[in-house]
Amino acid sequence: MAAPATSPPASANLRRIVAASLIGTTVEWYDFFLYGSAAALVFNKLFFPGSDPLVGTLLSFLTYAVGFAARPLGALVFGHYGDRLGRKKLLVLSLLLMGGATFAIGLLPTHATVGTAAPVLLTALRLVQGFALGGEWGGAVLLVSEHGDARRRGFWASWPQTGAPAGQLLATGVLSVMTALLSDAAFTSWGWRVPFLLSGVLVIVGLWVRLSVDESPVFRAALARAEARRTEGAALEKMPLVAVLRHHWRDVLIAMGARMAENISYYVITAFVLVYATSHTGLSQQTALNAVLIASALHFAVIPAWGALSDRIGRRPVYLLGAAGVGVWAFPFFALVDSHHFGLLLLAVSVGLVFHGAMYAPQAAFFAEMFATRMRYSGASIGAQFSSVAAGAPAPLIATALLADYDSPTPIALYVIAAALLTLLAVGVARETRSRDLTAVEGSAVEGSAVEGSAVEGEGRTAGPDGGASSAVPSGGA
């Protein structure tokens, strides 16, 4: 394979880009996960009173799943404009939408005050959260991937991924402090609102950092080439979505399959475990929150390490290891939680998140390397977010329903194993992308252009920066 042609940017500039993406994704995931934790702990009481406790939790998780349903729409809208206008503008908008919706949740009246309007308003704000997050992920990882040193792309692109455990850590930490300092009655009455209102402060910090970075140089170069083609009278570019479905449909399917085990295992390990540990094993809310809190710190630490390993041995081997790991760990996970011992609960969550990190870390670079620049935001976002509707969205809901029906963790473990097998299949048939040059994986969304039908058609050739062809870079799809 040819050596990547991308020259490393100045280290100070790259660190600023990474910091901007990391802080932004941390705020976005803090907002998103805060809702998940609150759904497991208090929303069933405040917005769905009068139900059986487990039924109330199911209804609460249903509004949680609604956020995932909006993520594909966010992927389509943000992906389209991100491929047309640039990554930075759309990332600023996603942060404002997410932060505004989360802050508003902290001000919502409950069912006791406004009746059925309360869950309706809660669901509407959850839709806004999901829409914003659907556009956030692709832009954040691409901004780093397209700026970064190609030889260490897996490492640098994994840093925005640490925003998920950082947001989980922050959300769980704030909730843990609030539950420790307040009585159950005070936390249920007003304490749960404080973490949501804090989102306003975090958004201001995130915007300050995010506005200071430059647009991706890879995108600017691709945009300039597209403008030059239009000036020369070439056919108009197709919409990014149309181009993705024509040239990269195999890659979209691979990305969707790759997300199944990653998404499902994560929400079982971090969200559903709060329900299982408190309602099934009798552990306190504080104990369950503390286990997720500590394990999230470990998750944060291992993601860059897995990303660096993917630069050395490839994206696929690391990803496959993670998928196999969460499948094998499914039964031991619940056995350890059932021990009623904090140390073993912590071990269960920690090992599960270490295996999850092996999938999540290389995912950013892996997905970015699959798609041509002028359709990369759309392709990566569609592949990542459409799968969330079938994976992360119903995962806590399905796990809770299985627990209610069978009163046993066995069906839930089998559910995780099935997802792991699907991901092993998807990643197993994919081609390695580690040595791909993002400046060469240009392809074209232009009908009949000179470079159309190379990398995007999967013939093992990619267009070089000058519009010529290079046979060194493989296709991203199987």
Side-chain angles (χ1 to χ4, degrees):
M1 291 185 180
T6 310
S7 58
S11 58
N13 181 56
L14 181 55
R15 285 194 294 269
R16 186 170 69 252
I17 298 295
V18 171
S21 292
L22 172 57
I23 291 174
T25 54
T26 297
V27 174
E28 295 266 4
W29 283 113
Y30 167 82
D31 292 348
F32 204 75
F33 288 143
L34 182 61
Y35 189 104
S37 298
L41 299 175
V42 295
F43 283 175
N44 58 333
K45 306 167 188 173
L46 297 174
F47 294 91
F48 305 98
S51 302
D52 174 86
L54 205 53
V55 173
T57 301
L58 278 169
L59 293 172
S60 183
F61 273 142
L62 187 59
T63 65
Y64 175 74
V66 162
F68 287 84
R71 283 164 69 170
L73 179 60
L76 291 173
V77 174
F78 280 80
H80 173 83
Y81 288 103
D83 282 328
R84 290 294 177 90
L85 304 177
R87 293 34 170 145
K88 177 180 172 178
K89 295 182 181 69
L90 276 297
L91 286 174
V92 170
L93 178 60
S94 71
L95 190 61
L96 285 171
L97 285 174
M98 176 67 87
T102 305
F103 187 84
I105 289 174
L107 301 175
L108 275 184
T110 63
H111 188 279
T113 305
V114 296
T116 55
V120 171
L121 292 171
L122 181 67
T123 302
L125 291 173
R126 182 60 175 174
L127 283 168
V128 176
Q129 282 191 322
F131 179 78
L133 191 62
E136 163 70 22
W137 181 84
V141 300
L142 293 187
L143 198 63
V144 176
S145 295
E146 293 178 345
H147 269 94
D149 177 359
R151 291 180 295 273
R152 303 184 68 197
R153 185 180 297 128
F155 171 73
W156 290 118
S158 71
W159 278 100
Q161 300 290 75
T162 64
Q168 178 77 66
L169 187 66
L170 193 57
T172 308
V174 172
L175 281 173
S176 183
V177 169
M178 296 303 296
T179 56
L181 294 178
L182 301 176
S183 65
D184 289 344
F187 180 76
T188 303
S189 175
W190 60 269
W192 68 271
R193 298 181 183 274
V194 174
F196 286 90
L197 297 176
L198 284 176
S199 177
V201 178
L202 296 176
V203 167
I204 293 172
V205 175
L207 284 174
W208 176 69
V209 177
R210 187 159 277 185
L211 286 169
S212 69
V213 302
D214 299 324
E215 183 55 80
S216 154
V218 173
F219 173 80
R220 289 202 306 266
L223 184 61
R225 287 192 289 272
E227 292 290 345
R229 288 195 292 267
R230 281 196 290 272
T231 302
E232 294 167 0
L236 293 175
E237 287 184 324
K238 296 184 183 71
M239 290 178 60
L241 172 61
V242 175
V244 166
L245 295 180
R246 176 178 179 183
H247 299 302
H248 286 289
W249 62 270
R250 294 180 183 87
D251 299 312
V252 169
L253 291 178
I254 287 171
M256 291 176 67
R259 285 274 283 173
M260 297 303 290
E262 179 266 305
N263 231 212
I264 288 172
S265 66
Y266 189 78
Y267 291 105
V268 169
I269 292 168
T270 60
F272 173 71
V273 73
L274 299 176
V275 175
Y276 186 82
T278 55
S279 67
H280 190 73
T281 66
L283 294 171
S284 67
Q285 288 183 359
Q286 189 66 46
T287 299
L289 283 170
N290 287 343
V292 174
L293 181 68
I294 297 171
S296 293
L298 177 62
H299 193 211
F300 180 94
V302 300
I303 285 177
W306 286 124
L309 183 62
S310 78
D311 286 326
R312 298 180 66 87
I313 68 174
R315 318 298 183 215
R316 291 174 67 252
V318 177
Y319 212 117
L320 290 169
L321 173 63
V326 296
V328 170
W329 191 245
F331 277 107
F333 173 83
F334 286 105
L336 291 171
V337 177
D338 283 338
S339 69
H340 300 83
H341 189 280
F342 173 75
L344 295 179
L345 169 64
L346 176 60
L347 177 65
V349 178
S350 297
V351 173
L353 288 181
V354 168
F355 282 129
H356 174 270
M359 293 182 285
Y360 201 54
Q363 187 181 99
F366 189 34
F367 288 9
E369 290 158 350
M370 287 181 179
F371 301 96
T373 301
R374 290 285 282 156
M375 57 190 87
R376 185 170 291 135
Y377 202 143
S378 295
S381 297
I382 290 169
Q385 304 305 335
F386 271 66
S387 59
S388 68
V389 177
L397 191 64
I398 290 173
T400 304
L402 289 172
L403 181 64
D405 287 345
Y406 295 96
D407 195 32
S408 167
T410 298
I412 306 167
L414 293 173
Y415 170 51
V416 174
I417 291 170
L421 291 174
L422 183 56
T423 292
L424 287 170
L425 176 63
V427 179
V429 301
R431 294 183 183 178
E432 182 56 61
T433 63
R434 174 170 60 100
S435 297
R436 178 157 301 168
D437 179 3
L438 294 186
T439 63
V441 186
E442 172 59 18
S444 178
V446 181
E447 188 78 51
S449 73
V451 295
E452 184 180 357
S454 52
V456 295
E457 292 285 351
E459 297 175 355
R461 296 175 64 82
T462 54
D466 60 353
S470 167
S471 61
V473 186
S475 167

